[in-house]
Amino acid sequence: MTDIVAELQWRGLVHQTTDGAKLAEWLNAASRSLYAGFDPTADSLHVGSLLPLMTLRRFQRAGHRPIALVGGATGMIGDPSGKSEERNLLSVDTLRANVAGLERQISHFLDFSPGPSAAALVNNYDWMGGFGYLEFLRDVGKHFPVNVMLAKDSVRSRIERDDAGISYTEFSYMLLQAYDFVQLNRQRGCELQIGGSDQWGNITAGIDLGRRMHGVQLYGLTCPLLLKSDGSKMGKTERGAIWLSRSRTSPYQFFQYWLNVADADAGMCLRFLTELSREEIESLDVSRRDQPELRLSQKRLAESLTRLVHGDEGLEAARRATEVLFQSAEISQLTDAQLMEIFADVPSQTLARDRLAAGLRLVDALCESGLAKSRGEARRTIEQGGAYVNNRVVADLNATLLPEHLASETVIVLRRGKSNFALLRFI
């Protein structure tokens, strides 16, 4: 057995534990079952979900048995932990679609093949869906002292606010998550729950419920939240969250996010989210200190996480897009989807396909794309070597664009100077 607690500690991933040093001894004595929960608030996990997901993966590689719980039942209510106001409730159909999306993603990170450390994927709706209200109050609710629930940070912080309270629905969330722990212990011998530091109250509630209902000893471990050095959430941009689904966040956008992480946050991300060795990470720490301009930590981070989430094909697509935008690589043999992904923020114009078939003068193309305000300006741009077609310089004033200049099914990429791009789509 690998000493998983020592591994988590050097990475800075241990925030709180029950039983302190005894937990490491207990984990190292035998293979244990543990779980982490994932709320289906969307049909994809996001960067914040990587932390518990990678922690489950680390436990599995250390010889333990991870359980990933998708909250088909708890998702109907919403966890109030870390939330300043009531969540909007999702429809049953939306929840089902979200659960299916999360299950597909989780299966990519954990090993479910038969064996002593085989992972399991469960949905708490399977045991909560048929649980009657009176039955739940009688069997579970009676074991929860209200004063203890009121003392939990996730509840107290909401009650103490003048502008936002907490509904009975969200107040009850703690009971459901606590019962998940008890049910997984009964069904699968699960004895440890892991989660972010904001889950401590819910985790300890489950430990207490297990003791009260069945006299069992359960354990808990939380990791720090994935926050930037300025205290804001990692994985948030002006556009919104960075998702693990390529339909929501392309491999290129995902790669670029990590490539642009601040030096102050790079070391934490390498430790928290990658499987790089301690020696390599500490070597990158030195490089970041002595040669920050090389940005080796960010490059290694982007490469490692993009390969993990999107595979070799996704990483290659992200690298190619980066070369196109920042290293002026020639653009050819790409798809419309790839080009639109790379140039998501670039102005585009749609022209009739027959104009390209007849031949469209580059001077006119620069004007129609908006890269030149007049034909005179377009001519000067070409004469000065500042006009590019698919990142290849074109210095001929009489140059004409034809179907063979298409970089994809319908798109030609024009550039003026170093960084002014425009797309022409021929439909």
mmCIF file of all heavy atoms in Angstrom, residues 202-249:
data_model
loop_
_atom_site.group_PDB
_atom_site.id
_atom_site.type_symbol
_atom_site.label_atom_id
_atom_site.label_comp_id
_atom_site.label_asym_id
_atom_site.label_seq_id
_atom_site.Cartn_x
_atom_site.Cartn_y
_atom_site.Cartn_z
ATOM 1 N N ASN A 202 -21.083 18.744 6.190
ATOM 2 C CA ASN A 202 -21.854 17.624 5.659
ATOM 3 C C ASN A 202 -21.173 16.291 5.943
ATOM 4 O O ASN A 202 -21.834 15.288 6.236
ATOM 5 C CB ASN A 202 -22.049 17.788 4.151
ATOM 6 C CG ASN A 202 -22.955 18.949 3.796
ATOM 7 O OD1 ASN A 202 -23.826 19.327 4.559
ATOM 8 N ND2 ASN A 202 -22.735 19.536 2.628
ATOM 9 N N ILE A 203 -19.845 16.272 5.852
ATOM 10 C CA ILE A 203 -19.104 15.030 6.089
ATOM 11 C C ILE A 203 -19.227 14.601 7.551
ATOM 12 O O ILE A 203 -19.507 13.434 7.857
ATOM 13 C CB ILE A 203 -17.625 15.205 5.681
ATOM 14 C CG1 ILE A 203 -17.511 15.330 4.155
ATOM 15 C CG2 ILE A 203 -16.777 14.029 6.185
ATOM 16 C CD1 ILE A 203 -16.124 15.675 3.657
ATOM 17 N N THR A 204 -19.014 15.534 8.464
ATOM 18 C CA THR A 204 -19.105 15.176 9.890
ATOM 19 C C THR A 204 -20.534 14.810 10.280
ATOM 20 O O THR A 204 -20.746 13.993 11.188
ATOM 21 C CB THR A 204 -18.586 16.322 10.772
ATOM 22 O OG1 THR A 204 -19.283 17.544 10.448
ATOM 23 C CG2 THR A 204 -17.091 16.532 10.569
ATOM 24 N N ALA A 205 -21.528 15.387 9.586
ATOM 25 C CA ALA A 205 -22.912 15.000 9.840
ATOM 26 C C ALA A 205 -23.125 13.526 9.477
ATOM 27 O O ALA A 205 -23.830 12.789 10.186
ATOM 28 C CB ALA A 205 -23.863 15.884 9.042
ATOM 29 N N GLY A 206 -22.498 13.092 8.369
ATOM 30 C CA GLY A 206 -22.605 11.688 7.974
ATOM 31 C C GLY A 206 -21.900 10.761 8.945
ATOM 32 O O GLY A 206 -22.383 9.658 9.245
ATOM 33 N N ILE A 207 -20.754 11.202 9.441
ATOM 34 C CA ILE A 207 -20.024 10.401 10.429
ATOM 35 C C ILE A 207 -20.862 10.233 11.695
ATOM 36 O O ILE A 207 -20.979 9.132 12.257
ATOM 37 C CB ILE A 207 -18.670 11.079 10.754
ATOM 38 C CG1 ILE A 207 -17.758 11.023 9.515
ATOM 39 C CG2 ILE A 207 -18.006 10.420 11.961
ATOM 40 C CD1 ILE A 207 -16.497 11.850 9.648
ATOM 41 N N ASP A 208 -21.481 11.316 12.135
ATOM 42 C CA ASP A 208 -22.312 11.277 13.339
ATOM 43 C C ASP A 208 -23.545 10.402 13.118
ATOM 44 O O ASP A 208 -23.949 9.638 14.009
ATOM 45 C CB ASP A 208 -22.723 12.701 13.716
ATOM 46 C CG ASP A 208 -23.438 12.768 15.051
ATOM 47 O OD1 ASP A 208 -22.889 12.232 16.035
ATOM 48 O OD2 ASP A 208 -24.531 13.350 15.113
ATOM 49 N N LEU A 209 -24.152 10.495 11.917
ATOM 50 C CA LEU A 209 -25.332 9.691 11.633
ATOM 51 C C LEU A 209 -24.991 8.200 11.621
ATOM 52 O O LEU A 209 -25.765 7.372 12.116
ATOM 53 C CB LEU A 209 -25.942 10.108 10.295
ATOM 54 C CG LEU A 209 -27.233 9.395 9.896
ATOM 55 C CD1 LEU A 209 -28.347 9.692 10.906
ATOM 56 C CD2 LEU A 209 -27.666 9.791 8.486
ATOM 57 N N GLY A 210 -23.837 7.845 11.059
ATOM 58 C CA GLY A 210 -23.415 6.446 11.041
ATOM 59 C C GLY A 210 -23.251 5.892 12.445
ATOM 60 O O GLY A 210 -23.635 4.750 12.739
ATOM 61 N N ARG A 211 -22.709 6.709 13.332
ATOM 62 C CA ARG A 211 -22.537 6.282 14.724
ATOM 63 C C ARG A 211 -23.882 6.123 15.422
ATOM 64 O O ARG A 211 -24.116 5.136 16.134
ATOM 65 C CB ARG A 211 -21.673 7.310 15.465
ATOM 66 C CG ARG A 211 -21.451 7.004 16.939
ATOM 67 C CD ARG A 211 -20.609 8.090 17.590
ATOM 68 N NE ARG A 211 -21.209 9.418 17.456
ATOM 69 C CZ ARG A 211 -22.195 9.856 18.242
ATOM 70 N NH1 ARG A 211 -22.711 9.073 19.194
ATOM 71 N NH2 ARG A 211 -22.684 11.071 18.073
ATOM 72 N N ARG A 212 -24.784 7.079 15.188
ATOM 73 C CA ARG A 212 -26.083 7.038 15.865
ATOM 74 C C ARG A 212 -26.976 5.903 15.343
ATOM 75 O O ARG A 212 -27.689 5.254 16.107
ATOM 76 C CB ARG A 212 -26.805 8.380 15.678
ATOM 77 C CG ARG A 212 -26.188 9.540 16.448
ATOM 78 C CD ARG A 212 -26.856 10.859 16.062
ATOM 79 N NE ARG A 212 -26.264 11.997 16.744
ATOM 80 C CZ ARG A 212 -26.685 12.474 17.930
ATOM 81 N NH1 ARG A 212 -27.700 11.885 18.552
ATOM 82 N NH2 ARG A 212 -26.095 13.518 18.467
ATOM 83 N N MET A 213 -26.953 5.669 14.020
ATOM 84 C CA MET A 213 -27.847 4.671 13.446
ATOM 85 C C MET A 213 -27.320 3.247 13.581
ATOM 86 O O MET A 213 -28.095 2.316 13.848
ATOM 87 C CB MET A 213 -28.103 4.982 11.962
ATOM 88 C CG MET A 213 -28.960 6.205 11.705
ATOM 89 S SD MET A 213 -29.346 6.443 9.929
ATOM 90 C CE MET A 213 -30.474 5.072 9.620
ATOM 91 N N HIS A 214 -26.018 3.067 13.388
ATOM 92 C CA HIS A 214 -25.480 1.699 13.316
ATOM 93 C C HIS A 214 -24.255 1.473 14.196
ATOM 94 O O HIS A 214 -23.699 0.370 14.185
ATOM 95 C CB HIS A 214 -25.123 1.355 11.865
ATOM 96 C CG HIS A 214 -26.270 1.488 10.916
ATOM 97 N ND1 HIS A 214 -27.445 0.773 11.039
ATOM 98 C CD2 HIS A 214 -26.441 2.282 9.819
ATOM 99 C CE1 HIS A 214 -28.275 1.098 10.062
ATOM 100 N NE2 HIS A 214 -27.694 2.015 9.306
ATOM 101 N N GLY A 215 -23.805 2.486 14.917
ATOM 102 C CA GLY A 215 -22.649 2.319 15.783
ATOM 103 C C GLY A 215 -21.349 2.082 15.037
ATOM 104 O O GLY A 215 -20.420 1.453 15.556
ATOM 105 N N VAL A 216 -21.241 2.583 13.799
ATOM 106 C CA VAL A 216 -20.035 2.369 12.994
ATOM 107 C C VAL A 216 -19.105 3.581 13.088
ATOM 108 O O VAL A 216 -19.554 4.709 13.333
ATOM 109 C CB VAL A 216 -20.385 2.095 11.513
ATOM 110 C CG1 VAL A 216 -21.156 0.785 11.384
ATOM 111 C CG2 VAL A 216 -21.182 3.243 10.920
ATOM 112 N N GLN A 217 -17.829 3.335 12.889
ATOM 113 C CA GLN A 217 -16.826 4.397 12.864
ATOM 114 C C GLN A 217 -16.547 4.778 11.415
ATOM 115 O O GLN A 217 -16.080 3.952 10.621
ATOM 116 C CB GLN A 217 -15.527 3.934 13.535
ATOM 117 C CG GLN A 217 -14.373 4.926 13.428
ATOM 118 C CD GLN A 217 -14.663 6.235 14.146
ATOM 119 O OE1 GLN A 217 -14.869 6.233 15.354
ATOM 120 N NE2 GLN A 217 -14.688 7.337 13.416
ATOM 121 N N LEU A 218 -16.859 6.003 11.058
ATOM 122 C CA LEU A 218 -16.578 6.515 9.725
ATOM 123 C C LEU A 218 -15.560 7.642 9.818
ATOM 124 O O LEU A 218 -15.332 8.195 10.892
ATOM 125 C CB LEU A 218 -17.875 7.005 9.059
ATOM 126 C CG LEU A 218 -19.002 5.972 8.944
ATOM 127 C CD1 LEU A 218 -20.244 6.598 8.335
ATOM 128 C CD2 LEU A 218 -18.552 4.761 8.130
ATOM 129 N N TYR A 219 -14.961 7.986 8.661
ATOM 130 C CA TYR A 219 -13.876 8.964 8.650
ATOM 131 C C TYR A 219 -14.133 10.030 7.581
ATOM 132 O O TYR A 219 -14.886 9.818 6.624
ATOM 133 C CB TYR A 219 -12.539 8.268 8.362
ATOM 134 C CG TYR A 219 -12.162 7.219 9.379
ATOM 135 C CD1 TYR A 219 -12.585 5.901 9.233
ATOM 136 C CD2 TYR A 219 -11.390 7.552 10.503
ATOM 137 C CE1 TYR A 219 -12.244 4.929 10.161
ATOM 138 C CE2 TYR A 219 -11.044 6.586 11.439
ATOM 139 C CZ TYR A 219 -11.476 5.286 11.259
ATOM 140 O OH TYR A 219 -11.145 4.329 12.188
ATOM 141 N N GLY A 220 -13.462 11.152 7.741
ATOM 142 C CA GLY A 220 -13.590 12.239 6.772
ATOM 143 C C GLY A 220 -12.262 12.914 6.497
ATOM 144 O O GLY A 220 -11.383 12.959 7.365
ATOM 145 N N LEU A 221 -12.125 13.422 5.270
ATOM 146 C CA LEU A 221 -10.924 14.164 4.870
ATOM 147 C C LEU A 221 -11.350 15.239 3.880
ATOM 148 O O LEU A 221 -12.079 14.938 2.923
ATOM 149 C CB LEU A 221 -9.890 13.230 4.244
ATOM 150 C CG LEU A 221 -8.553 13.827 3.813
ATOM 151 C CD1 LEU A 221 -7.450 12.760 3.904
ATOM 152 C CD2 LEU A 221 -8.591 14.383 2.379
ATOM 153 N N THR A 222 -10.937 16.459 4.107
ATOM 154 C CA THR A 222 -11.237 17.526 3.148
ATOM 155 C C THR A 222 -9.952 18.100 2.574
ATOM 156 O O THR A 222 -8.899 18.097 3.224
ATOM 157 C CB THR A 222 -12.051 18.666 3.782
ATOM 158 O OG1 THR A 222 -11.287 19.301 4.808
ATOM 159 C CG2 THR A 222 -13.352 18.158 4.349
ATOM 160 N N CYS A 223 -10.078 18.600 1.349
ATOM 161 C CA CYS A 223 -8.980 19.266 0.644
ATOM 162 C C CYS A 223 -9.269 20.767 0.613
ATOM 163 O O CYS A 223 -10.420 21.188 0.714
ATOM 164 C CB CYS A 223 -8.872 18.755 -0.786
ATOM 165 S SG CYS A 223 -8.603 16.977 -0.927
ATOM 166 N N PRO A 224 -8.232 21.589 0.459
ATOM 167 C CA PRO A 224 -8.473 23.031 0.283
ATOM 168 C C PRO A 224 -9.307 23.265 -0.972
ATOM 169 O O PRO A 224 -9.296 22.462 -1.905
ATOM 170 C CB PRO A 224 -7.064 23.621 0.123
ATOM 171 C CG PRO A 224 -6.130 22.570 0.635
ATOM 172 C CD PRO A 224 -6.802 21.260 0.385
ATOM 173 N N LEU A 225 -10.030 24.355 -1.001
ATOM 174 C CA LEU A 225 -10.738 24.727 -2.218
ATOM 175 C C LEU A 225 -9.728 25.188 -3.268
ATOM 176 O O LEU A 225 -8.634 25.666 -2.932
ATOM 177 C CB LEU A 225 -11.744 25.838 -1.928
ATOM 178 C CG LEU A 225 -12.868 25.490 -0.958
ATOM 179 C CD1 LEU A 225 -13.782 26.691 -0.750
ATOM 180 C CD2 LEU A 225 -13.671 24.292 -1.449
ATOM 181 N N LEU A 226 -10.097 25.050 -4.517
ATOM 182 C CA LEU A 226 -9.201 25.427 -5.615
ATOM 183 C C LEU A 226 -9.350 26.922 -5.874
ATOM 184 O O LEU A 226 -10.173 27.356 -6.686
ATOM 185 C CB LEU A 226 -9.549 24.612 -6.866
ATOM 186 C CG LEU A 226 -8.552 24.652 -8.014
ATOM 187 C CD1 LEU A 226 -7.202 24.101 -7.582
ATOM 188 C CD2 LEU A 226 -9.085 23.837 -9.198
ATOM 189 N N LEU A 227 -8.542 27.706 -5.154
ATOM 190 C CA LEU A 227 -8.631 29.163 -5.226
ATOM 191 C C LEU A 227 -7.318 29.750 -5.738
ATOM 192 O O LEU A 227 -6.236 29.220 -5.478
ATOM 193 C CB LEU A 227 -8.929 29.756 -3.849
ATOM 194 C CG LEU A 227 -10.222 29.294 -3.159
ATOM 195 C CD1 LEU A 227 -10.310 29.900 -1.772
ATOM 196 C CD2 LEU A 227 -11.438 29.666 -3.988
ATOM 197 N N LYS A 228 -7.425 30.860 -6.440
ATOM 198 C CA LYS A 228 -6.236 31.599 -6.855
ATOM 199 C C LYS A 228 -5.633 32.318 -5.656
ATOM 200 O O LYS A 228 -6.253 32.421 -4.595
ATOM 201 C CB LYS A 228 -6.602 32.630 -7.928
ATOM 202 C CG LYS A 228 -7.156 32.046 -9.208
ATOM 203 C CD LYS A 228 -7.506 33.173 -10.179
ATOM 204 C CE LYS A 228 -8.169 32.640 -11.434
ATOM 205 N NZ LYS A 228 -8.562 33.722 -12.362
ATOM 206 N N SER A 229 -4.436 32.829 -5.841
ATOM 207 C CA SER A 229 -3.752 33.529 -4.752
ATOM 208 C C SER A 229 -4.508 34.781 -4.319
ATOM 209 O O SER A 229 -4.353 35.245 -3.186
ATOM 210 C CB SER A 229 -2.324 33.896 -5.174
ATOM 211 O OG SER A 229 -2.339 34.603 -6.407
ATOM 212 N N ASP A 230 -5.358 35.334 -5.190
ATOM 213 C CA ASP A 230 -6.141 36.522 -4.815
ATOM 214 C C ASP A 230 -7.465 36.160 -4.142
ATOM 215 O O ASP A 230 -8.279 37.031 -3.821
ATOM 216 C CB ASP A 230 -6.403 37.423 -6.034
ATOM 217 C CG ASP A 230 -7.253 36.729 -7.110
ATOM 218 O OD1 ASP A 230 -7.745 35.606 -6.869
ATOM 219 O OD2 ASP A 230 -7.428 37.319 -8.189
ATOM 220 N N GLY A 231 -7.712 34.855 -3.943
ATOM 221 C CA GLY A 231 -8.908 34.404 -3.258
ATOM 222 C C GLY A 231 -10.078 34.072 -4.163
ATOM 223 O O GLY A 231 -11.082 33.522 -3.702
ATOM 224 N N SER A 232 -9.990 34.373 -5.455
ATOM 225 C CA SER A 232 -11.070 34.053 -6.382
ATOM 226 C C SER A 232 -10.978 32.591 -6.819
ATOM 227 O O SER A 232 -9.939 31.946 -6.679
ATOM 228 C CB SER A 232 -11.021 34.965 -7.607
ATOM 229 O OG SER A 232 -9.803 34.788 -8.317
ATOM 230 N N LYS A 233 -12.078 32.068 -7.366
ATOM 231 C CA LYS A 233 -12.128 30.666 -7.751
ATOM 232 C C LYS A 233 -11.300 30.401 -9.001
ATOM 233 O O LYS A 233 -11.371 31.147 -9.969
ATOM 234 C CB LYS A 233 -13.573 30.228 -7.998
ATOM 235 C CG LYS A 233 -14.389 30.041 -6.727
ATOM 236 C CD LYS A 233 -15.755 29.466 -7.055
ATOM 237 C CE LYS A 233 -16.555 29.217 -5.789
ATOM 238 N NZ LYS A 233 -17.877 28.629 -6.082
ATOM 239 N N MET A 234 -10.521 29.334 -8.950
ATOM 240 C CA MET A 234 -9.805 28.876 -10.129
ATOM 241 C C MET A 234 -10.824 28.316 -11.126
ATOM 242 O O MET A 234 -11.801 27.681 -10.748
ATOM 243 C CB MET A 234 -8.798 27.798 -9.737
ATOM 244 C CG MET A 234 -7.917 27.288 -10.850
ATOM 245 S SD MET A 234 -6.716 28.529 -11.433
ATOM 246 C CE MET A 234 -5.672 28.714 -9.984
ATOM 247 N N GLY A 235 -10.583 28.570 -12.411
ATOM 248 C CA GLY A 235 -11.472 28.029 -13.430
ATOM 249 C C GLY A 235 -12.583 28.960 -13.832
ATOM 250 O O GLY A 235 -13.498 28.567 -14.558
ATOM 251 N N LYS A 236 -12.539 30.199 -13.363
ATOM 252 C CA LYS A 236 -13.535 31.190 -13.757
ATOM 253 C C LYS A 236 -12.883 32.224 -14.670
ATOM 254 O O LYS A 236 -11.782 32.690 -14.394
ATOM 255 C CB LYS A 236 -14.120 31.903 -12.529
ATOM 256 C CG LYS A 236 -14.865 30.990 -11.573
ATOM 257 C CD LYS A 236 -16.192 30.534 -12.153
ATOM 258 C CE LYS A 236 -17.001 29.752 -11.130
ATOM 259 N NZ LYS A 236 -18.285 29.289 -11.667
ATOM 260 N N THR A 237 -13.560 32.580 -15.753
ATOM 261 C CA THR A 237 -13.062 33.605 -16.665
ATOM 262 C C THR A 237 -14.192 34.595 -16.938
ATOM 263 O O THR A 237 -15.311 34.429 -16.456
ATOM 264 C CB THR A 237 -12.611 32.988 -18.004
ATOM 265 O OG1 THR A 237 -13.769 32.512 -18.708
ATOM 266 C CG2 THR A 237 -11.644 31.824 -17.780
ATOM 267 N N GLU A 238 -13.881 35.614 -17.722
ATOM 268 C CA GLU A 238 -14.918 36.580 -18.098
ATOM 269 C C GLU A 238 -16.040 35.913 -18.888
ATOM 270 O O GLU A 238 -17.189 36.341 -18.849
ATOM 271 C CB GLU A 238 -14.299 37.717 -18.925
ATOM 272 C CG GLU A 238 -13.356 38.602 -18.116
ATOM 273 C CD GLU A 238 -12.764 39.711 -18.952
ATOM 274 O OE1 GLU A 238 -13.082 39.761 -20.157
ATOM 275 O OE2 GLU A 238 -12.003 40.519 -18.419
ATOM 276 N N ARG A 239 -15.695 34.852 -19.604
ATOM 277 C CA ARG A 239 -16.698 34.116 -20.381
ATOM 278 C C ARG A 239 -17.515 33.161 -19.520
ATOM 279 O O ARG A 239 -18.562 32.690 -19.926
ATOM 280 C CB ARG A 239 -16.017 33.310 -21.482
ATOM 281 C CG ARG A 239 -15.436 34.146 -22.603
ATOM 282 C CD ARG A 239 -14.887 33.215 -23.654
ATOM 283 N NE ARG A 239 -14.412 33.922 -24.821
ATOM 284 C CZ ARG A 239 -13.940 33.329 -25.900
ATOM 285 N NH1 ARG A 239 -13.904 32.007 -25.945
ATOM 286 N NH2 ARG A 239 -13.512 34.034 -26.926
ATOM 287 N N GLY A 240 -17.003 32.834 -18.348
ATOM 288 C CA GLY A 240 -17.683 31.878 -17.486
ATOM 289 C C GLY A 240 -16.731 30.787 -17.032
ATOM 290 O O GLY A 240 -15.513 30.950 -17.035
ATOM 291 N N ALA A 241 -17.292 29.653 -16.653
ATOM 292 C CA ALA A 241 -16.496 28.550 -16.112
ATOM 293 C C ALA A 241 -15.696 27.846 -17.206
ATOM 294 O O ALA A 241 -16.056 27.863 -18.380
ATOM 295 C CB ALA A 241 -17.412 27.550 -15.413
ATOM 296 N N ILE A 242 -14.593 27.220 -16.784
ATOM 297 C CA ILE A 242 -13.828 26.335 -17.652
ATOM 298 C C ILE A 242 -14.337 24.923 -17.396
ATOM 299 O O ILE A 242 -14.179 24.377 -16.301
ATOM 300 C CB ILE A 242 -12.316 26.426 -17.358
ATOM 301 C CG1 ILE A 242 -11.809 27.852 -17.599
ATOM 302 C CG2 ILE A 242 -11.534 25.442 -18.226
ATOM 303 C CD1 ILE A 242 -11.911 28.338 -19.017
ATOM 304 N N TRP A 243 -14.963 24.333 -18.417
ATOM 305 C CA TRP A 243 -15.605 23.031 -18.280
ATOM 306 C C TRP A 243 -14.692 21.914 -18.768
ATOM 307 O O TRP A 243 -13.742 22.150 -19.536
ATOM 308 C CB TRP A 243 -16.908 23.003 -19.069
ATOM 309 C CG TRP A 243 -17.892 24.039 -18.639
ATOM 310 C CD1 TRP A 243 -18.032 25.304 -19.136
ATOM 311 C CD2 TRP A 243 -18.858 23.923 -17.592
ATOM 312 N NE1 TRP A 243 -19.028 25.971 -18.474
ATOM 313 C CE2 TRP A 243 -19.559 25.154 -17.517
ATOM 314 C CE3 TRP A 243 -19.217 22.897 -16.712
ATOM 315 C CZ2 TRP A 243 -20.580 25.369 -16.607
ATOM 316 C CZ3 TRP A 243 -20.242 23.109 -15.813
ATOM 317 C CH2 TRP A 243 -20.915 24.329 -15.753
ATOM 318 N N LEU A 244 -14.998 20.691 -18.354
ATOM 319 C CA LEU A 244 -14.234 19.538 -18.822
ATOM 320 C C LEU A 244 -14.794 18.985 -20.134
ATOM 321 O O LEU A 244 -14.117 18.228 -20.818
ATOM 322 C CB LEU A 244 -14.240 18.424 -17.767
ATOM 323 C CG LEU A 244 -13.748 18.806 -16.363
ATOM 324 C CD1 LEU A 244 -13.546 17.552 -15.518
ATOM 325 C CD2 LEU A 244 -12.465 19.626 -16.417
ATOM 326 N N SER A 245 -16.009 19.373 -20.486
ATOM 327 C CA SER A 245 -16.610 18.942 -21.747
ATOM 328 C C SER A 245 -16.113 19.826 -22.889
ATOM 329 O O SER A 245 -16.152 21.055 -22.789
ATOM 330 C CB SER A 245 -18.131 19.041 -21.657
ATOM 331 O OG SER A 245 -18.716 18.932 -22.940
ATOM 332 N N ARG A 246 -15.662 19.205 -23.972
ATOM 333 C CA ARG A 246 -15.154 19.994 -25.108
ATOM 334 C C ARG A 246 -16.269 20.751 -25.819
ATOM 335 O O ARG A 246 -16.004 21.714 -26.523
ATOM 336 C CB ARG A 246 -14.383 19.107 -26.088
ATOM 337 C CG ARG A 246 -15.190 18.078 -26.839
ATOM 338 C CD ARG A 246 -14.342 17.418 -27.921
ATOM 339 N NE ARG A 246 -13.135 16.830 -27.377
ATOM 340 C CZ ARG A 246 -12.015 16.653 -28.076
ATOM 341 N NH1 ARG A 246 -11.960 17.018 -29.341
ATOM 342 N NH2 ARG A 246 -10.961 16.104 -27.532
ATOM 343 N N SER A 247 -17.508 20.335 -25.643
ATOM 344 C CA SER A 247 -18.610 21.067 -26.257
ATOM 345 C C SER A 247 -18.875 22.385 -25.538
ATOM 346 O O SER A 247 -19.474 23.301 -26.098
ATOM 347 C CB SER A 247 -19.881 20.214 -26.262
ATOM 348 O OG SER A 247 -20.322 19.958 -24.937
ATOM 349 N N ARG A 248 -18.435 22.495 -24.294
ATOM 350 C CA ARG A 248 -18.587 23.733 -23.523
ATOM 351 C C ARG A 248 -17.305 24.560 -23.502
ATOM 352 O O ARG A 248 -17.339 25.781 -23.571
ATOM 353 C CB ARG A 248 -19.003 23.414 -22.089
ATOM 354 C CG ARG A 248 -20.465 22.998 -21.933
ATOM 355 C CD ARG A 248 -20.747 22.611 -20.484
ATOM 356 N NE ARG A 248 -22.168 22.426 -20.225
ATOM 357 C CZ ARG A 248 -22.952 23.319 -19.664
ATOM 358 N NH1 ARG A 248 -22.460 24.500 -19.313
ATOM 359 N NH2 ARG A 248 -24.238 23.078 -19.438
ATOM 360 N N THR A 249 -16.170 23.887 -23.364
ATOM 361 C CA THR A 249 -14.859 24.549 -23.389
ATOM 362 C C THR A 249 -13.968 23.729 -24.305
ATOM 363 O O THR A 249 -13.672 22.566 -24.008
ATOM 364 C CB THR A 249 -14.236 24.629 -21.982
ATOM 365 O OG1 THR A 249 -15.090 25.395 -21.125
ATOM 366 C CG2 THR A 249 -12.861 25.289 -22.037
#
